[in-house]
Amino acid sequence: MRGAISSMQQEITAAQEGKRRKYEEEEKQKQKELEEREQMMWQTSVPAQQSWGKQQKEGLQVETEGSILQWYWQLQDAAEQCVAAFSDIGNCKGNTEVKKIKTNLQKAATIPVSQISSVSGSQLREVFDKINNLLSGKPVQTEGQTVWVTQHPQGLEFVCYKLAEKFVRHGEGEVSFHHDSAFPIAAVLSGIWELHPRVGDIFLAHLHKKCPYSVPFYPARKEGTSMEEYQRMLGYEVHDSKVEEPDHFLKRMSGMIRLYAAIIQLRWPYGSGQGAHPHGLSYGWRWLAQMLNLEPLADVTAVLLLDFLEVCGNALMRQYGIQFWKIMLFIQKSYIPRIEAVTSSGQMGCLSRLKTFVQKCLQAEEIPLPKGILTPSFWRT
């Protein structure tokens, strides 16, 4: 009897020991998989695992990743198809009635965007409703005229294009001078984008063409391309063979990057909130990773990297945690020296501001909230 009991106890102990070992092995495997995922995520995000000497030897990319370039060209094709889809409205010089419809539709699309401000949440909702109603086919009032997109078979395509174009112009104009304005504009646009994805795609196409660094994409000059045309590809405004001043160029690029950085972290508070953000933080993470995988450009890279981090850094920090801090450390230790290597003594201002921002954030282990962010109390006004 005692022998039988002893044998049973040994079997139970062995079974328990077997379960314990199995549990420990499973836990070790889970931890290993977690570490491998983190390692893979970091390696594919930025070249932080390479030594600085190896980076100098091999260099970073000079071209944007293939999949991102493909996305860029798909959006450009979509914009061209949109233009072709409203050709009758676009070329209506001889038709007075169509010309009047075109004028009214353009006003109905663009005037509300000009009215976006941070005066109050209720005012912003009124602007949103005007734009949403227009895109939804409902009649809207514009300068005493009743307008709706179904007045012309090509009306909706025309409005989508002009609306997206206006949002980008607001970024290079309004936001470049008043940084805080990025947030109310982004809030409205993100809500419209969620309900009307076509507008979002055309917006991105316009943004990328005006500011290729929002891809990010550094266009190469091809054989046979004139210098004037190449400067336009880089985002410069060229009028009568005269190129805009670098300071003005950087200011416009800054405004568009700030608007983009605001869009990817904001959602319209009155939306359904059921689906994913139409262009959320994962796109911001991808932009930052790709930017840091490209060889830096003098002035441009430092300015836009600082703009992006000031506006979106806090949101990325909260979303990606330790992986984000690895990126910040990479910027400080490896990428800033690369920017310094291509920056002349007269262009150090922007780079100094970037260095100070990154250093302060790493010391504080915190990215400050961006100035002008819309708080929950704003939407109650």
Side-chain angles (χ1 to χ4, degrees):
M1 186 69 169
R2 288 178 182 175
I5 292 173
S6 177
S7 177
M8 287 177 63
Q9 287 176 336
Q10 288 175 1
E11 288 177 6
I12 291 170
T13 300
Q16 289 175 337
E17 181 66 19
K19 286 182 180 179
R20 184 184 65 78
R21 282 199 300 267
K22 184 179 179 182
Y23 174 77
E24 287 178 352
E25 287 173 2
E26 288 176 350
E27 287 300 304
K28 285 181 181 178
Q29 183 62 27
K30 287 180 183 178
Q31 183 63 30
K32 183 180 177 183
E33 289 174 358
L34 179 62
E35 290 174 356
E36 285 176 351
R37 281 200 300 271
E38 289 182 349
Q39 183 78 356
M40 187 178 297
M41 184 180 182
W42 176 237
Q43 286 176 335
T44 56
S45 295
V46 292
Q49 303 304 318
Q50 301 172 355
S51 68
W52 176 230
K54 188 177 179 183
Q55 286 179 27
Q56 285 181 315
K57 182 179 177 182
E58 296 181 359
L60 299 179
Q61 299 173 18
V62 292
E63 293 184 355
T64 301
E65 188 180 307
S67 60
I68 297 177
L69 266 183
Q70 184 180 12
W71 172 64
Y72 166 82
W73 288 115
Q74 286 173 345
L75 290 169
Q76 295 306 313
D77 286 344
E80 289 177 7
Q81 290 169 14
C82 185
V83 172
F86 64 80
S87 57
D88 289 348
I89 290 183
N91 305 308
C92 62
K93 294 180 181 178
N95 191 321
T96 306
E97 186 177 347
V98 175
K99 190 175 180 180
K100 183 180 178 182
I101 292 172
K102 174 186 175 180
T103 301
N104 288 337
L105 284 175
Q106 185 160 340
K107 287 179 180 179
T110 58
I111 289 176
V113 178
S114 299
Q115 294 171 340
I116 294 174
S117 73
S118 55
V119 170
S120 68
S122 57
Q123 187 264 354
L124 213 54
R125 189 167 185 176
E126 286 178 13
V127 171
F128 174 88
D129 288 342
K130 286 180 186 177
I131 298 172
N132 183 43
N133 287 340
L134 178 67
L135 291 167
S136 301
K138 298 177 182 178
V140 296
Q141 291 293 316
T142 301
E143 295 186 336
Q145 300 287 322
T146 302
V147 184
W148 56 97
V149 292
T150 53
Q151 283 179 294
H152 192 282
Q154 299 177 354
L156 181 57
E157 289 291 313
F158 178 73
V159 165
C160 284
Y161 189 88
K162 290 299 175 181
L163 183 60
E165 185 180 55
K166 179 64 175 179
F167 272 115
V168 174
R169 285 182 177 171
H170 228 39
E172 68 174 330
E174 180 68 18
V175 180
S176 67
F177 286 97
H178 307 287
H179 290 171
D180 294 6
S181 66
F183 294 99
I185 297 169
V188 172
L189 177 53
S190 65
I192 294 298
W193 196 329
E194 190 171 346
L195 294 174
H196 308 278
R198 182 87 166 138
V199 175
D201 288 344
I202 305 303
F203 166 79
L204 282 175
H206 277 300
L207 180 69
H208 291 169
K209 196 164 186 177
K210 283 264 188 180
C211 177
Y213 316 100
S214 62
V215 178
F217 171 44
Y218 302 160
R221 186 182 180 185
K222 296 180 181 179
E223 189 177 347
T225 303
S226 67
M227 178 54 72
E228 189 173 310
E229 181 58 30
Y230 180 56
Q231 286 166 328
R232 286 196 178 96
M233 289 169 61
L234 292 173
Y236 284 89
E237 290 185 339
V238 184
H239 300 292
D240 299 325
S241 299
K242 187 176 180 180
V243 184
E244 71 178 312
E245 292 295 322
D247 287 350
H248 188 261
F249 162 76
L250 285 173
K251 201 171 185 68
R252 287 193 305 107
M253 298 302 112
S254 173
M256 287 183 277
I257 287 294
R258 282 181 171 272
L259 176 58
Y260 183 59
I263 290 166
I264 62 180
Q265 63 179 298
L266 290 180
R267 293 200 75 166
W268 181 245
Y270 304 106
S272 64
Q274 294 178 349
H277 188 299
H279 197 80
L281 283 169
S282 61
Y283 284 92
W285 181 259
R286 186 177 78 170
W287 181 90
L288 186 56
Q290 182 61 43
M291 193 75 168
L292 297 176
N293 270 314
L294 290 171
E295 287 286 0
L297 301 179
D299 243 9
V300 174
T301 300
V303 170
L304 301 188
L305 200 52
L306 178 59
D307 286 325
F308 190 84
L309 290 172
E310 282 184 339
V311 175
C312 198
N314 181 273
L316 289 173
M317 175 193 70
R318 286 184 279 109
Q319 179 74 11
Y320 294 101
I322 188 64
Q323 299 301 328
F324 175 77
W325 288 113
K326 289 179 181 179
I327 277 193
M328 290 293 283
L329 195 60
F330 171 79
I331 292 171
Q332 184 187 55
K333 298 294 184 183
S334 298
Y335 203 67
I336 284 176
R338 296 192 82 99
I339 301 176
E340 284 179 321
V342 297
T343 304
S344 67
S345 58
Q347 298 173 311
M348 286 294 179
C350 299
L351 181 55
S352 296
R353 290 194 294 274
L354 174 63
K355 288 172 72 172
T356 301
F357 178 83
V358 172
Q359 184 178 358
K360 283 183 176 179
C361 291
L362 285 168
Q363 287 175 344
E365 297 182 3
E366 182 72 24
I367 307 289
L369 278 169
K371 187 182 176 185
I373 191 78
L374 303 179
T375 61
S377 62
F378 167 80
W379 297 105
R380 295 192 290 271
T381 60

